[in-house]
Amino acid sequence: MSAIRVTGLLPLEGEISIQGSKNAVLPMMAAALLHRGLTVLTNVPKIRDVACMTRILEHLGCACICRGSSIFMDAREVQRTEIPEEYVRSMRSSIIVLGALLGRLGEGSCCYPGGCLIGARPIDLHLAALKSLGAQICEEEGIIKAVTRTKKGLEGTEILFAYPSVGATEQALLAAVLADGVTVIRGAAMEPEISQLCHFLNNMGAVICGTGTSTLMIQGVQCLKDSTFRVEGDRIAAGTYGAAVMAAGGDITLKGIRPSSLRLPLMLLEQAGAEVDCAEEGRTLSATGIGWEQEGRIRIRREGRPGPLNLKTGPYPEFPTDLQSPFMAFLAAARGTSRIEERVFEERFGTVGELVKMGASIRIEEKTAVICGKYPLRGACVKAADLRGGAALVVGALAAEGETIIKDCGHIERGYEDICRDLSALGAGIGWIGE
């Protein structure tokens, strides 16, 4: 299915459950390679990136069985160490498999990763971390080959990141779990997905301290154990649907999502005029409250046009770059003038041209998008250039008069189980067309 048709200006009403987290489950699947046994993940989203990571694991010798929203991974027979180019080119997060292969087998190789076209996203921090742990890196004709320098394998060390890269932090964690001695990661990313990965690894028998902070300490262990772990709800999917109700208006409830992982986006939705309530074990708190539990639900209500916002993207707990495009889309139909400064990926504004086709008034001033709200937007034929940009076009279409056709929606399927299913359940006029 490659295209989506949206009929706009229909309010959203009702409640939906949020899928498991894309950005959390992929490094967990890679981590399954570290254990010579069975690893089970539940609440796994049925998305293209999970299917891609499954094929990578199977190529390496890991037996994978999917049953409903669970995946069973048996890595006892893993022997291959080369990740096929066809998978690495299509999904950037495949690069973190290198750390797991080095920890388990002492070597690994792959080409430079691909993924969405949202900027350079160099992997120098990944390679520097692996070198610090004792890997020898060789780069020839676009192929990265990594081997441990001694038969003893990787060795614990101190790693200092100049920038809190999520992928590089995951890479270092996976490589350090089976390394000899203690590894300390300073300047680590603090995104909720990193905390989930640490909890998951500890559940497998790893010893990781400092979860949720910028300093992680890993005591290397000799082996891991069979385990089962539930993936948390996807905060980016939840934030996207929050942006959708801001664009369309209405009253929705999102279930199975931890509100604390979205504290700043929810505060900004309130600032833009929404009513936001977060329920935790029978308690109802405002989005600016404290004391969140692990799971909960979020209710978002919006009447009238939303107000303008000024926001800047940045590493957690700052505003997530993955929600920049969906927020831009609803702000294109808001009152007044909004400003978004992109400080993570230089090409996250790739969706601006498509939103302009829908009548949006957006101009780019270096790293800042200036958005003059217009309502309603107008239906048009547009094209998704990347995962979050495609979701943003869906959000914009909800505030557009008439019909919008969004092409190349395979990007959206990389991270959303079924955006049409979820939004149509809330009353949106949306559906897949074509094959």
Side-chain angles (χ1 to χ4, degrees), residues 96-125:
I96 60 174
V97 175
L98 268 184
L101 289 173
L102 276 168
R104 167 76 180 271
L105 298 173
E107 62 180 274
S109 66
C110 68
C111 66
Y112 276 87
C116 289
L117 301 176
I118 55 176
R121 301 201 292 183
I123 60 170
D124 54 329
L125 294 179

Side-chain angles (χ1 to χ4, degrees), residues 5-6 62 64 74 77 85 91 101 105 113 125 137 144 188 193 202 206 224 235 243 275 301 395 398:
R5 177 190 288 118
V6 183
C62 178
C64 300
D74 186 343
E77 302 300 324
E85 180 177 352
M91 187 178 69
L101 289 173
L105 298 173
L125 294 179
I137 307 294
I144 303 167
E193 293 78 15
N202 283 341
L224 299 173
R235 65 189 177 110
E275 295 180 42
R301 299 184 295 277
V395 171
L398 296 174

Side-chain angles (χ1 to χ4, degrees), residues 4 6 19 116 234 236-245 247 321-330 348 351 354-355 358 382-399 404 406-420 423 430 432:
I4 292 174
V6 183
Q19 67 185 57
C116 289
D234 193 311
I236 304 303
T240 299
Y241 297 146
V245 74
T321 184
D322 280 353
L323 284 178
Q324 182 255 98
S325 296
F327 269 57
M328 176 187 290
F330 89 73
R348 275 284 194 196
T351 305
E354 302 303 296
L355 288 173
M358 299 169 65
V382 292
K383 183 182 294 186
D386 59 76
L387 166 56
R388 305 306 175 185
L393 294 176
V394 172
V395 171
L398 296 174
T404 298
I406 306 168
K407 297 182 178 181
D408 286 357
C409 290
H411 292 291
I412 299 176
E413 294 176 291
R414 287 188 52 226
Y416 297 84
E417 272 195 349
D418 193 337
I419 199 169
C420 295
L423 290 174
I430 185 173
W432 291 97

Side-chain angles (χ1 to χ4, degrees), residues 94 105 213 246 290 345 372 389 394 402 434:
S94 58
L105 298 173
T213 74
M246 296 299 287
I290 58 174
F345 294 134
C372 299
V394 172

Side-chain angles (χ1 to χ4, degrees), residues 33 53 71 94 189 202 238:
L33 295 170
M53 183 62 81
I71 183 168
S94 58
N202 283 341

Side-chain angles (χ1 to χ4, degrees), residues 324 328 340 342 347-352 364 366-369:
Q324 182 255 98
M328 176 187 290
I340 299 178
E342 176 56 60
E347 294 181 17
R348 275 284 194 196
F349 292 144
T351 305
V352 168
I364 305 301
E366 295 183 350
K367 296 182 179 181
T368 300

Side-chain angles (χ1 to χ4, degrees), residues 85-359:
E85 180 177 352
E86 61 183 293
Y87 303 134
V88 182
R89 293 292 187 192
S90 64
M91 187 178 69
R92 179 177 177 79
S93 55
S94 58
I95 188 70
I96 60 174
V97 175
L98 268 184
L101 289 173
L102 276 168
R104 167 76 180 271
L105 298 173
E107 62 180 274
S109 66
C110 68
C111 66
Y112 276 87
C116 289
L117 301 176
I118 55 176
R121 301 201 292 183
I123 60 170
D124 54 329
L125 294 179
H126 292 248
L127 302 183
L130 296 178
K131 289 179 181 177
S132 295
L133 287 160
Q136 182 175 336
I137 307 294
C138 177
E139 302 173 58
E140 294 181 0
E141 298 181 352
I143 302 297
I144 303 167
K145 296 182 179 181
V147 296
T148 54
R149 284 195 287 261
T150 66
K151 292 183 179 180
K152 190 177 181 181
L154 298 177
E155 298 181 354
T157 187
E158 182 166 325
I159 299 171
L160 175 61
F161 285 128
Y163 180 85
S165 163
V166 172
T169 301
E170 293 168 344
Q171 186 82 266
L173 278 167
L174 298 189
V177 165
L178 297 180
D180 182 39
V182 176
T183 299
V184 177
I185 304 174
R186 303 189 188 279
M190 297 188 292
E191 271 72 4
E193 293 78 15
I194 297 294
S195 295
Q196 280 196 68
L197 179 60
C198 290
H199 291 313
F200 166 74
L201 289 168
N202 283 341
N203 191 53
M204 293 176 73
V207 180
I208 303 173
C209 302
T211 300
T213 74
S214 62
T215 301
L216 300 172
M217 184 173 70
I218 306 98
Q219 171 65 62
V221 297
Q222 291 186 346
C223 62
L224 299 173
K225 62 182 181 180
D226 290 357
S227 63
T228 300
F229 192 85
R230 184 180 187 277
V231 181
E232 284 190 6
D234 193 311
R235 65 189 177 110
I236 304 303
T240 299
Y241 297 146
V245 74
M246 296 299 287
D251 185 344
I252 68 170
T253 298
L254 308 175
K255 301 186 298 181
I257 180 66
R258 185 162 54 91
S260 61
S261 66
L262 281 167
R263 184 170 299 173
L264 181 54
L266 294 179
M267 291 174 62
L268 289 169
L269 292 184
E270 286 188 322
Q271 185 178 324
E275 295 180 42
V276 180
D277 296 302
C278 302
E280 304 281 351
E281 295 187 347
R283 297 179 298 149
T284 301
L285 308 170
S286 76
T288 54
I290 58 174
W292 307 113
E293 302 293 336
Q294 285 193 340
E295 289 288 346
R297 60 177 59 205
I298 303 169
R299 183 180 180 186
I300 305 171
R301 299 184 295 277
R302 197 275 287 170
E303 294 182 0
R305 292 174 66 187
L309 293 173
N310 291 324
L311 63 90
K312 299 178 181 180
T313 66
Y316 189 85
E318 298 180 57
F319 188 82
T321 184
D322 280 353
L323 284 178
Q324 182 255 98
S325 296
F327 269 57
M328 176 187 290
F330 89 73
L331 290 171
R335 295 178 284 105
T337 300
S338 300
R339 287 175 171 81
I340 299 178
E341 182 181 347
E342 176 56 60
R343 301 185 296 172
V344 180
F345 294 134
E346 66 273 17
E347 294 181 17
R348 275 284 194 196
F349 292 144
T351 305
V352 168
E354 302 303 296
L355 288 173
V356 169
K357 291 179 183 178
M358 299 169 65

